[in-house]
Amino acid sequence: MVISRQDGQSYSRRVLSTSIAKNRKAIIQTAVIIGFFVVFQMPFVLAFLIIRLDLHPSNSDILAIQVTRFLAFSYPGINPLVYAYYTADIRNEIVKILRRILMASQQQPRVSKSYTMTPTTTLQMLPMIDHVHHDDTMSNKIQ
């Protein structure tokens, strides 16, 4: 059986479109990560190159470098958030942890801020108070 050129091109297009469809999520994720990288890094690189060519940078040039450097250095903090958004396992675990924290904070019993001394608690604390007082008098005698 001989495949004509037209059939071969049609077959390769189908394979390519099927491959893109299967990897669509990975392609989008990669494009977003590269996009974030460019958005966060490119301003610093451009500002640095432009100011490098200028022999007498002004105060606004220095401010531009500081702002764009902050933007560039914040990229590593954003990158894990992007991966967490696109990775279902990580996203589900983060949601579980946040739900547990939220539920735990809502279920904690309310403790009264006022504390009253009763005769029983006062008597229980006397040995501790006497011990602290005894240590203070001993240190004064040593000096």
Side-chain angles (χ1 to χ4, degrees), residues 88-103:
D89 294 340
I90 296 172
R91 186 175 56 240
N92 292 339
E93 286 301 316
I94 290 172
V95 169
K96 283 182 193 176
I97 290 169
L98 291 175
R99 281 186 184 150
R100 266 190 248 140
I101 291 171
L102 183 62
M103 295 301 284

Side-chain angles (χ1 to χ4, degrees), residues 13-14 16 18 25 54 65 69 83 85 96 113:
R13 284 183 188 157
R14 278 184 277 143
L16 181 62
T18 305
K25 185 177 177 182
D54 187 12
I65 282 289
R69 182 177 55 201
Y83 275 103
Y85 178 77
K96 283 182 193 176
K113 292 183 180 181

Side-chain angles (χ1 to χ4, degrees), residues 35-104:
F36 269 103
F37 180 80
V38 169
V39 166
F40 278 76
Q41 297 292 326
M42 192 59 71
F44 176 71
V45 171
L46 292 176
F48 182 77
L49 291 174
I50 291 169
I51 292 171
R52 214 41 195 164
L53 296 174
D54 187 12
L55 298 177
H56 305 288
S58 67
N59 288 338
S60 62
D61 293 340
I62 294 170
L63 180 64
I65 282 289
Q66 290 173 343
V67 169
T68 57
R69 182 177 55 201
F70 174 78
L71 185 66
F73 287 171
S74 64
Y75 171 73
I78 300 296
N79 198 22
L81 300 175
V82 173
Y83 275 103
Y85 178 77
Y86 279 103
T87 307
D89 294 340
I90 296 172
R91 186 175 56 240
N92 292 339
E93 286 301 316
I94 290 172
V95 169
K96 283 182 193 176
I97 290 169
L98 291 175
R99 281 186 184 150
R100 266 190 248 140
I101 291 171
L102 183 62
M103 295 301 284

Side-chain angles (χ1 to χ4, degrees), residues 115 117-135:
Y115 181 76
M117 293 291 285
T118 63
T120 307
T121 57
T122 307
L123 289 174
Q124 290 172 348
M125 291 179 63
L126 278 177
M128 291 186 292
I129 295 169
D130 187 41
H131 181 69
V132 171
H133 178 69
H134 181 67
D135 288 345

